[in-house]
Amino acid sequence: MNKKTVRDVDVHARRVLVRVDFNVPLDKATGAIADDTRIVAALPTISYLRAQGARVILCSHLGRPDGKVVEGLRLGSVGQRLSELLGVPVFKMDDCIGEAVTRAAFSLENGQVLLLENLRFHPEEEANDPAFARALASLAEVFVNDAFGTAHRAHASTEGVTHYLPSVAGFLMEKEIDYLGRAMENPARPFAAIIGGAKVSDKIKVLDNLVSKVNVLLIGGGMANTFLKAQGYEVGQSLVENDRLEVAVAIRSRAQERGIKLGLPVDVVVGDRFAAEAESKVVSAEAVPADWRILDIGPKTIELFRGMLAGCKTVVWNGPMGVFEFPRFAQGTRAVAQMLAASDAVTIIGGGDSAAAAESLGLADRMTHISTGGGASLEFLEGKVLPGVAALNGK
Ligand code: ADP
Ligand code: MG
């Protein structure tokens, strides 16, 4: 990575503002933290800074309070959980700027941890307001961005503050950029991408970018329906984007021109309605009954994909192969996750739902890298420069 990291700056006895991604899922009924993965993912940077004798000031957003105080979106329980994980007290503030916060920040001792309140209680955060960014920056002497999941947004705490402080990447940020960056810029080949999920329209830019980089492109999920329809197949009641048929044709011909192996479903699992209890059967991709809808890839497609992935050295996966939320239509997604888990290739998963699928199958730790940033990893796969990354100091 060509950006400075926490290793490249002296943080001893300094106040260090760290942007973390503590945007954890909360239990709808109780408001408790449903999954602390994101807090755990920030620990290496926080522990390193403490060990160096830094005075750590953490900031994050949580949910979408839209610029006002929402009691249920305070970071109190996040602070408690962090304190349990670190085994030291975490001082939690009720705001992220202001006099009380400044006083607390300036009275921190080496190794102590302060957690600011939800940044998005202030509309200035998402507006990337310079005065707000300056107020945040005034708390510290160094800025560390470890919030890869928010790096695709130019907000005050991701981009604005970098105008006022030396700014470096944390370990999580570094890891994400290293894995995703290497895959996109200098992958071990053959390089394969498996793209699924609901819609072509969500991922046109991803397909566009990947088709110029990969050797093998496998398309499943709802978006494959649009490709099937574009080649003249009837897709019954399936999710299909009739206004994107040309996109599918264009991707296909670019794949052909570039000599890329393109894999599309040859058989599919159809359901008689969109429901967990829907009746299901396997049919050939060109024989979808008019009253049925495609909800997963079929067994022959799984074997086709397996064969096309054999020997690949890098595999990037984004988007489930079917409606995996319904167990009856989860087989394609499960099979792809298992293929990746068993593979010797560098395997990278980017995308919230595909990552969740790998987690729920217990296969997460057998992947080379699962990105913690859904939207951010998608923009990376689109070939975009993330503003939160671009703003960090170069090496
Ligand atoms: P990711 O979060 O991994 O990027 P997406 O958000 O693009 O993935 O897509 C995930 C969604 O796509 C899931 O909710 C899944 O149910 C849906 N999906 C996959 N295949 C189909 C299909 N054949 N028909 C309708 N929806 C589908
Ligand atoms: Mg998703």
Side-chain angles (χ1 to χ4, degrees), residues 39 48-49 54 118 184 342:
I39 304 176
Y48 172 86
L49 290 170
N118 195 338
M184 298 309 284

Side-chain angles (χ1 to χ4, degrees), residues 197-198 202-203 318-320 324-325 351-354 374-375 378:
D202 288 341
K203 297 191 180 163
N318 171 282
F324 74 104
E325 296 93 335
D353 290 291
S354 358
L378 209 60

Side-chain angles (χ1 to χ4, degrees), residues 203-257:
K203 297 191 180 163
I204 291 176
K205 290 187 206 133
V206 173
L207 290 168
D208 251 344
N209 187 40
L210 287 173
V211 85
S212 67
K213 295 201 189 290
V214 297
N215 306 102
V216 176
L217 181 60
L218 307 180
I219 297 177
M223 69 159 63
N225 304 342
T226 301
F227 282 82
L228 295 176
K229 177 131 188 208
Q231 69 189 54
Y233 294 176
E234 291 303 329
V235 293
Q237 303 303 306
S238 305
L239 173 73
V240 66
E241 291 172 285
N242 287 308
D243 55 340
R244 303 295 159 145
L245 297 174
E246 286 134 60
V247 174
V249 171
I251 299 282
R252 197 182 238 296
S253 58
R254 281 190 53 208
Q256 217 150 31
E257 281 161 27

Side-chain angles (χ1 to χ4, degrees), residues 169-189:
F171 294 127
L172 175 63
M173 178 71 93
E174 180 188 37
K175 186 170 153 217
E176 291 274 6
I177 297 169
D178 273 351
Y179 279 116
L180 292 169
R182 205 175 313 140
M184 298 309 284
E185 280 145 34
N186 193 18
R189 293 183 182 273

Side-chain angles (χ1 to χ4, degrees), residues 364-387:
D365 57 0
R366 290 171 63 194
M367 307 298 169
T368 308
H369 180 66
I370 299 190
S371 178
T372 53
S377 62
L378 209 60
E379 293 202 12
F380 217 106
L381 298 182
E382 290 174 359
K384 283 197 192 137
V385 176
L386 310 185

